[in-house]
Every structure is written in C-alpha cells, then in structure tokens.
C-alpha cells in the first residue's frame, strides 16, 4: 500500500472515532448523532446560518433529513423557530434553554481524542493541522466538502511571501491561527 492510501485509511479510522464518540453521547441523551450535530451547530453559528438549507449543506445531507431532525428537536423543546417577517415558510432557529443545556453536555464529546493529542509535540501538531487544513480546502474546491469557512478560501486572506495575513482582523496568521469555521469568513469564490 502506498503512503497516500495509508494516510487516507488512517483518516477513515479517525473519522470512525468521531462517530463512535458522538454515538455514545447521542445514546445517553436519547438523540440521534445528526440531532446533536444540529444543536451544536446552532449553538456556535450566527442565527442567519441556522436554516434548514444551510445546515443540510454543512453536513452534506438532504433537506428532508434535516427537517425530520428539526421536527424532533422542536417537539423535545430544544429549539425555537424564528419565522422570517417576509416569508412565513422560511425560518431560522435558536436554542431553547433545554437545548442550551444539552449542548453544554455534548460539546466536549471529542475530549478523549483531544486528551490523546495533548501528548503530541506542538511542532508535530502544527504540521498535522496545516496538512489537514490544506486537504479540507482542496476537498472543498473539488466540491466534496460543500461548505467550508476556512481562511484559505476567504477574501480577507492574503499570502505575503511565506507569511499569511487576515485583512479583516489586520493581523498576521500563523499556521496555528488558521480558522476552520470563521464567523467573519467571506468566500473568495463568486457564488453561482
Ligand atoms: S476573516 Fe476569518 S476566515 Fe477570513 S482570513 Fe480572517 S480569520 Fe480567516
């Protein structure tokens, strides 16, 4: 097996770890993994991004899948819908106090993995982070990962020689500063 194939297989294993950890939390809270992911997404994103279409794109699933999950979360009083004043069929979502409580119990689901990474040298971690970021960006540009708010695809990102810079925050970005899901991200690709 060549090195590319081995790395691809290793990434697959790591993604399994994520699924297992998420499933574990989901079972305890009597929610499905996608329901937990939706709650965590709503907790950490601006309200205008919390729509069915945006969340479906974010998780690469269909809108009906998200609608079903939203219905359950609404019935469990974990989210509140906020209808658009111009179109009553469209709405954004917010967390209810119960939803906030669930998020507080689930947001650390990846802690076992983070704990293991804390044994890795800082230099090695930075290299892994840079490599993964580049891979994520390439996958996004190929249309495999549909939504990414990573610095490399942002109109405020600039490469000056070997240095990287954010023209919005007006600061140099070290590799460790690159954001994967920046709230200020504005795509540098014209939307079709
Ligand atoms: S605005 Fe955010 S995504 Fe864009 S370059 Fe600055 S830090 Fe990165």
């Amino acid at each position: 097996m060549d090195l590319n194939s081995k790395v691809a297989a290793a990434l697959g294993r790591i993604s399994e770890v994520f699924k297992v950890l998420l499933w574990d939390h989901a079972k305890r809270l009597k929610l499905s993994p996608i329901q937990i992911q939706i709650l965590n997404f709503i907790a950490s994103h601006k309200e205008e991004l919390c729509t069915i279409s945006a969340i479906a794109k974010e998780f690469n699933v269909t809108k009906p899948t998200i609608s079903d999950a939203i219905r359950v979360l609404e019935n469990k009083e974990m989210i509140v819908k906020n209808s658009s004043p111009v179109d009553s069929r469209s709405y954004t979502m917010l967390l209810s106090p119960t939803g906030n409580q669930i998020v507080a119990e689930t947001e650390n689901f990846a802690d076992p993995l983070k704990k293991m990474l804390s044994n890795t040298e800082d230099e090695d971690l930075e290299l892994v982070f840079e490599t993964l970021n580049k891979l994520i960006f390439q996958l996004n540009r190929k249309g495999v990962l549909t939504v990414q708010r990573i610095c490399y695809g942002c109109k405020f990102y600039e490469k000056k020689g070997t240095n990287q810079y954010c023209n919005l925050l007006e600061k140099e970005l070290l590799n460790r500063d690159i954001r994967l899901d920046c709230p200020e991200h504005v795509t540098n690709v014209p939307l079709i």
Side-chain angles (χ1 to χ4, degrees):
M1 203 192 261
D2 64 22
L3 193 54
N4 290 352
S5 311
K6 285 183 182 173
V7 172
L11 289 173
R13 295 269 177 95
I14 299 289
S15 110
E16 281 305 313
V17 173
F18 254 87
K19 277 192 219 153
V20 168
L21 294 173
L22 197 56
W23 261 114
D24 195 40
H25 273 276
K27 267 189 281 174
R28 269 189 264 148
L29 296 163
K30 298 192 170 53
L31 292 171
S32 70
I34 190 72
Q35 287 161 3
I36 288 195
Q37 283 174 300
I38 292 172
L39 289 176
N40 282 327
F41 181 87
I42 295 175
S44 56
H45 290 86
K46 290 180 192 164
E47 192 185 336
E48 58 263 35
L49 275 181
C50 299
T51 63
I52 290 190
S53 321
I55 296 175
K57 266 195 188 167
E58 181 80 23
F59 295 117
N60 286 314
V61 295
T62 63
K63 285 201 247 178
T65 303
I66 297 297
S67 296
D68 289 348
I70 295 290
R71 202 170 305 118
V72 175
L73 293 173
E74 200 185 9
N75 288 341
K76 291 191 174 188
E77 299 182 346
M78 290 178 185
I79 57 162
V80 181
K81 288 180 182 170
N82 215 350
S83 292
S84 152
V86 283
D87 177 3
S88 60
R89 287 164 308 169
S90 115
Y91 57 86
T92 53
M93 288 162 279
L94 297 165
L95 291 184
S96 69
T98 311
N100 271 313
Q101 199 184 320
I102 295 288
V103 166
E105 289 175 42
T106 62
E107 62 189 352
N108 297 328
F109 78 91
D111 272 3
L113 190 57
K114 285 193 236 165
K115 213 170 157 193
M116 281 173 207
L117 286 172
S118 67
N119 299 326
T120 310
E121 292 292 330
D122 234 33
E123 229 172 80
D124 292 341
L125 266 188
E126 253 189 61
L127 197 59
V128 172
F129 185 55
E130 187 186 356
T131 307
L132 289 177
N133 282 344
K134 287 181 177 162
L135 186 60
I136 288 167
F137 181 59
Q138 283 170 33
L139 288 168
N140 172 240
R141 288 294 135 108
K142 295 265 177 220
V144 181
L145 284 172
T146 47
V147 186
Q148 290 307 318
R149 287 174 287 275
I150 189 169
C151 290
Y152 302 149
C154 176
K155 76 168 195 179
F156 300 116
Y157 173 83
E158 194 182 345
K159 195 125 200 218
K160 295 180 177 173
T162 53
N163 296 337
Q164 309 173 90
Y165 196 76
C166 171
N167 288 314
L168 181 73
L169 305 177
E170 295 181 349
K171 64 169 234 178
E172 188 185 345
L173 298 169
L174 301 177
N175 279 332
R176 59 166 57 231
D177 300 324
I178 294 295
R179 294 185 182 178
L180 267 173
D181 189 9
C182 175
E184 321 301 340
H185 179 277
V186 177
T187 181
N188 58 11
V189 175
L191 295 171
I192 302 162

